[in-house]
């Protein structure tokens, strides 16, 4: 294995295991994630790579009033699915209108979401990156205060795990890694 000559941060095995063992959870215990732990997770988000240091991510932690409005916007068929996790965070990217920058800022925000999911997993919390249709509608966006200039990227579900989901099948390395001459 290639080992860089410079100091490595943390345990390589530890981070490899963390990446491999993170799972999408769809069943959560009832206890909300305490605000100080939410802050710990979201503080890590800002270390995600972002070109020109635009810090494009926004995370809105939903309180009861926002939840009520989002459920109303979702309608009776979809609303119960918003109750699966005790803590919900809307992740979005602030767009500038410049197409290249916007593409990079969406990528940066996706990286930040992944950092939050990994950080949650490292603390024994369950996470779920969900993109419910309601947050692509005006009513849903209004319910959570998403302004026109932000792209919705994910409704992060957080809480305590209630199951141990098996890993979905992954495409083997050989199917997506290409060595060019
Ligand atoms: C951008 C994005 C959007 C997603 N949206 C949904 C969703 O709306 N519903 C859902 O069940 N899973 C959603 N997922 C989770 C994936 O289905 C999940 O990551 C995949 O099944 C692999 O499982 P794992 O996360 O346990 O490795 C989303 C994941 C990403 C990256």
């Amino acid at each position: 294995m290639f080992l860089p000559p410079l100091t490595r941060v943390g345990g390589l095995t530890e981070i490899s295991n963390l990446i491999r063992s993170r799972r999408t959870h769809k069943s959560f215990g009832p206890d909300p994630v305490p605000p100080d732990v939410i802050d710990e997770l979201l503080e890590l988000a800002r270390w995600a790579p972002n070109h020109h240091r635009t810090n494009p991510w926004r995370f809105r932690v939903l309180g009861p009033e926002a939840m009520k409005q989002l459920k109303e916007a979702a309608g009776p068929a979809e609303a119960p699915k918003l109750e699966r996790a005790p803590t919900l965070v809307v992740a979005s990217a602030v767009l500038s209108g410049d197409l290249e920058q916007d593409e990079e800022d969406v990528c940066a925000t996706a990286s930040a979401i992944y950092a939050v999911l990994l950080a949650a997993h490292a603390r024994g919390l369950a996470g779920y990156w969900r993109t419910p249709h309601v947050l692509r509608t005006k009513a849903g966006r209004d319910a959570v205060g998403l302004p026109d200039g932000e792209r919705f990227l994910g409704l992060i579900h957080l809480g305590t795990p209630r199951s141990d989901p098996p890993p979905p099948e992954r495409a083997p390395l050989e199917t997506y890694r290409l060595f060019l001459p």
Side-chain angles (χ1 to χ4, degrees), residues 1-4 8 12-13 16 20:
M1 187 198 287
F2 169 74
L3 295 176
R8 291 192 323 213
L12 202 52
T13 309
S16 304
R20 285 201 188 94

Side-chain angles (χ1 to χ4, degrees), residues 22-26 84 128-132 136 153-154 165-168 170:
R22 179 211 53 81
R23 288 279 72 76
T24 289
H25 288 252
K26 297 193 177 174
R84 286 194 275 208
Y128 175 14
W129 182 340
R130 191 173 168 234
T131 42
R136 303 191 190 283
L153 283 191
R170 248 50 190 189

